[in-house]
């Protein structure tokens, strides 16, 4: 059976399933998630980004958040995050993560595909992440500071997936609010 995605309303109510590629061809709204793995250093926060493998059916060779995908029908979001961390990044270490809410976006991609997702954002902190990225999913992983990501987004926005800026700035805003409330 081909990969299925969960079709949803704008309120994240499940309304059916669809083959993943067909959902992207037809631009159907479906449930997705984006995980950002972070660590705090003496200089501030750093984020683990992945460069998508060039052979991916869309957005190949572009930088994105640590892990992103779709839950399968009947699969809880948290279980899907854990599954894909293993499939993409090759880590068997279970992550603890926090939900930061969701947003909807729609964007035209290459190959006449449309990304139309209700994207749930998750944040995980770690200092000890053992990685063995799956080469068919990920071509590179690298830790980046907030400032270096902002600079690269400004100078080369095309180097990133279309959803990444929204995910990144929502995570940064969450960390800013959390930091201010701790003071």
């Amino acid at each position: 059976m081909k990969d299925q995605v969960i079709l949803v309303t704008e309120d994240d109510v499940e309304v059916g399933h669809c083959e993943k590629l067909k959902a992207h061809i037809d631009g159907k709204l479906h449930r997705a998630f984006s995980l950002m793995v972070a660590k705090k250093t003496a200089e501030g926060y750093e984020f683990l980004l992945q460069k998508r493998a060039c052979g991916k059916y869309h957005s190949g060779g572009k930088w994105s958040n640590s892990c992103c995908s779709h839950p399968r029908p009947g699969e809880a979001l948290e279980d899907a995050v854990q599954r894909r961390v293993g499939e993409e990044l090759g880590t068997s270490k279970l992550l603890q993560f926090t939900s930061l809410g969701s947003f909807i976006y729609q964007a035209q991609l290459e190959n006449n595909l449309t990304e139309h997702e209700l994207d749930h954002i998750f944040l995980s902190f770690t200092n000890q992440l053992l990685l063995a990225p799956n080469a068919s999913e990920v071509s590179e992983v690298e830790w980046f500071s907030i400032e270096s990501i902002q600079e690269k987004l400004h100078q080369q926005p095309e180097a990133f997936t279309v959803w990444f800026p929204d995910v990144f700035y929502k995570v940064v805003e969450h960390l800013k609010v959390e930091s201010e409330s701790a003071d």
Side-chain angles (χ1 to χ4, degrees), residues 22-163:
K22 181 163 177 40
H24 290 94
I25 291 170
D26 296 344
K28 294 182 178 185
L29 181 61
H30 56 281
R31 190 175 292 149
F33 67 84
S34 291
L35 170 69
M36 189 74 87
V37 176
K39 66 180 177 181
K40 190 163 186 176
T41 68
E43 293 79 37
Y45 293 105
E46 290 186 356
F47 299 106
L48 181 71
L49 302 189
Q50 69 156 275
K51 185 180 271 189
R52 292 168 60 90
C54 289
K56 298 282 282 182
Y57 71 104
H58 72 76
S59 306
K62 293 183 181 270
W63 285 101
S64 198
N65 44 285
S66 310
C67 178
C68 51
S69 191
H70 312 91
R72 295 173 175 155
E75 182 179 39
L77 270 166
E78 294 78 6
D79 294 337
V81 172
Q82 295 286 8
R83 172 179 55 82
R84 287 302 290 175
V85 165
E87 291 172 356
E88 290 185 12
L89 300 177
T91 181
S92 59
K93 181 177 179 173
L94 296 177
L95 297 172
Q96 291 186 335
F97 44 85
T98 303
S99 173
L100 303 185
S102 62
F103 70 102
I104 294 175
Y105 73 96
Q106 186 169 9
Q108 283 300 124
L109 303 173
E110 68 276 13
N111 304 332
N112 293 319
L113 299 177
T114 299
E115 195 68 283
H116 191 195
E117 294 184 335
L118 192 149
D119 194 4
H120 292 263
I121 303 171
F122 294 94
L123 175 63
S124 178
F125 283 95
T126 187
N127 285 322
Q128 303 283 332
L129 193 60
L130 299 174
L131 300 175
N134 177 345
S136 66
E137 297 283 346
V138 178
S139 65
E140 287 181 60
V141 291
E142 189 173 332
W143 290 97
F144 290 92
S145 69
I146 290 174
E147 296 76 21
S148 64
I149 293 171
Q150 289 171 327
E151 184 178 322
K152 193 169 177 90
L153 276 170
H154 179 72
Q155 292 178 349
Q156 295 178 290
E158 71 284 352
F160 293 90
T161 58
V162 295
W163 61 89

